[in-house]
Amino acid sequence: MNQEKSPLSMLTGPKKMSRGEVKNAAIVEAARVIFLKHGFDGASMDQIAASAGVSKRTVYFHFQSKVNLFANVMMAMCASKRPEVVGGETLETSSVLAPSRPIDQALMELGENFLSMIFEPEAMALFRILIGQANQFPEIGQEFFDRGPREMLDMLTHYLTAAQDRGVIRLNGDPELAAGSFLTSLLGPIYIQCLATACPPPSPAMIRKQAKSAVTTFLNGSQVAAAAVPAE
């Protein structure tokens, strides 16, 4: 994956932004830092305004509420991480899921990138905050799902559908279910353990091992046109 970038750096470049958009992104970046340090309940709009170098009135003008601001923090994370995972903004521009690549290599790189992203301490911390607010503010979780996991699922579904249309693979069932099964199999029990206990994330070697296991299981459950199971 590319070197980690903050949501602000992703939102402010390379496209030139208006003054209002730059201020908006600066507030989101400040909120990200404050939420990570104090949690949702401990964070205040005063702290966020001071960190962003703006007035609290300006923060409310741009985001109306702390709930809306946290939702924008989560959306910024989705926007910054997805291109790193798939190597592009869309399936058409993805270097990871390029149709010219062998499917085993594509799925391996996707799996490793995906696991490296979700096990980042910052991503884990923000996701814990999101879960903690699920009962009171379920709309934040729904928006996060639609802009994060759902878009990833849709992209992989379209990739697998196209691969099946080209005769590269024959799926045993619905492509969306196959895509969901693959992404879910990547997580393994260690994800819940890290999420619940704040244990250290897996090493790159363990991430590769976990991705390889998921790819091997997935391809062994499908009919592949050529040898596509990762070699030992």
Side-chain angles (χ1 to χ4, degrees):
M1 290 181 67
N2 297 336
Q3 186 176 3
E4 184 176 351
K5 302 175 183 178
S6 72
L8 177 60
S9 67
M10 296 297 294
L11 289 172
T12 56
K15 181 180 71 173
K16 186 174 182 179
M17 301 174 69
S18 69
R19 183 177 178 182
E21 288 172 329
V22 170
K23 185 171 292 186
N24 185 303
I27 294 170
V28 170
E29 173 70 359
R32 180 184 68 86
V33 174
I34 296 299
F35 282 128
L36 285 170
K37 184 176 181 179
H38 300 286
F40 183 84
D41 293 331
S44 72
M45 298 296 255
D46 287 304
Q47 291 170 322
I48 293 167
S51 180
V54 300
S55 68
K56 186 166 71 170
R57 182 176 181 179
T58 297
V59 176
Y60 275 107
F61 176 79
H62 281 265
F63 296 100
Q64 298 78 55
S65 69
K66 187 166 72 169
V67 172
N68 189 38
L69 184 48
F70 180 69
N72 275 269
V73 169
M74 297 303 295
M75 296 312 102
M77 183 179 72
C78 291
S80 68
K81 298 303 181 184
R82 185 173 55 254
E84 296 182 10
V85 173
V86 301
E89 294 289 343
T90 66
L91 180 59
E92 290 72 23
T93 61
S94 171
S95 60
V96 174
L97 297 178
S100 58
R101 300 188 71 194
I103 191 170
D104 62 317
Q105 294 179 16
L107 293 179
M108 271 295 296
E109 186 172 359
L110 178 72
E112 289 186 78
N113 289 352
F114 179 74
L115 289 173
S116 297
M117 180 269 293
I118 66 170
F119 280 115
E120 287 177 1
E122 180 178 306
M124 297 287 285
L126 287 173
F127 193 51
R128 291 188 192 102
I129 297 173
L130 179 71
I131 293 172
Q133 301 304 314
N135 286 335
Q136 190 171 4
F137 305 111
E139 66 275 12
I140 303 178
Q142 185 61 56
E143 188 171 3
F144 165 76
F145 179 80
D146 291 341
R147 296 279 295 277
R150 167 55 66 184
E151 290 195 7
M152 181 70 67
L153 178 62
D154 288 346
M155 190 176 293
L156 183 56
T157 297
H158 289 135
Y159 169 78
L160 293 176
T161 299
Q164 182 165 247
D165 291 343
R166 296 194 310 273
V168 174
I169 191 171
R170 182 178 297 174
L171 302 170
N172 297 318
D174 181 79
E176 184 174 343
L177 290 177
S181 295
F182 175 70
L183 292 174
T184 301
S185 69
L186 283 169
L187 300 178
I190 193 172
Y191 179 66
I192 297 299
Q193 182 183 5
C194 289
L195 193 64
T197 67
C199 68
S203 66
M206 180 58 69
I207 283 177
R208 179 166 181 78
K209 182 179 179 180
Q210 193 160 315
K212 181 179 177 181
S213 176
V215 171
T216 301
T217 300
F218 179 77
L219 293 179
N220 281 342
S222 307
Q223 296 182 34
V224 184
V229 178
E232 295 293 338

